[in-house]
Amino acid sequence: NPGSLQHFAESMVRAYRIAMTPPHEPVLIVLDEDLQELGIEEGAALHIPKFAIPSPPAGEINAVREVARLLAGAENPVIVADRAARTQAGVKSLVQLAELLNATVIDQGGRMNFPNMHPLYARGTGAVARADVILGLELTDFFGTVNEFIDSAEAQQSSRLRAGAKLI
């Protein structure tokens, strides 16, 4: 909600940066009616800030190494993808990861993540109960994936996980 024309320029550049950084979510800018109607004051030194292309987010190197160690050592890894792949290259990378690990992939349908005709593709959450390591990729509901929850007066909840399963 910018309060001046200069603040509007700064807000637009910031909003564009946020919108262009994964996960590429929408941004809303509210512009006051008075600011929309007022003209530019004579001699105003307005400028549009320089835009720097954002770099994609990256995991801390030691955390990435630990994830790799857990996945490589897993007997029955499962990947749960909701909104992970944004491009065809992302889908290809996810397929390569699953094949390298021989990991079952549960695609929650947030966007096209994994080919549903691939032999490692799984429907539902049955694979979760057999997994020793579960990698969640941009899940909107990781809790609901690894737990069964009945929304009633009793609010019954039970875990789908086997004992000792690791969640990433």
Side-chain angles (χ1 to χ4, degrees), residues 4-11 45-49:
S4 68
L5 290 176
Q6 183 57 49
H7 189 209
F8 172 72
E10 294 163 4
S11 295
L46 300 175
H47 70 281
I48 298 174

Side-chain angles (χ1 to χ4, degrees), residues 20-35:
M20 298 309 294
T21 302
H24 304 287
E25 297 294 335
V27 178
L28 172 70
I29 293 186
V30 178
L31 193 56
D32 183 77
E33 179 183 359
D34 290 338
L35 191 59

Side-chain angles (χ1 to χ4, degrees), residues 91 95 105 107 112-123:
V91 172
V95 169
V105 178
D107 186 338
M112 168 50 187
N113 289 300
F114 199 80
N116 61 7
M117 300 302 284
H118 193 283
L120 292 173
Y121 178 85
R123 292 194 187 280

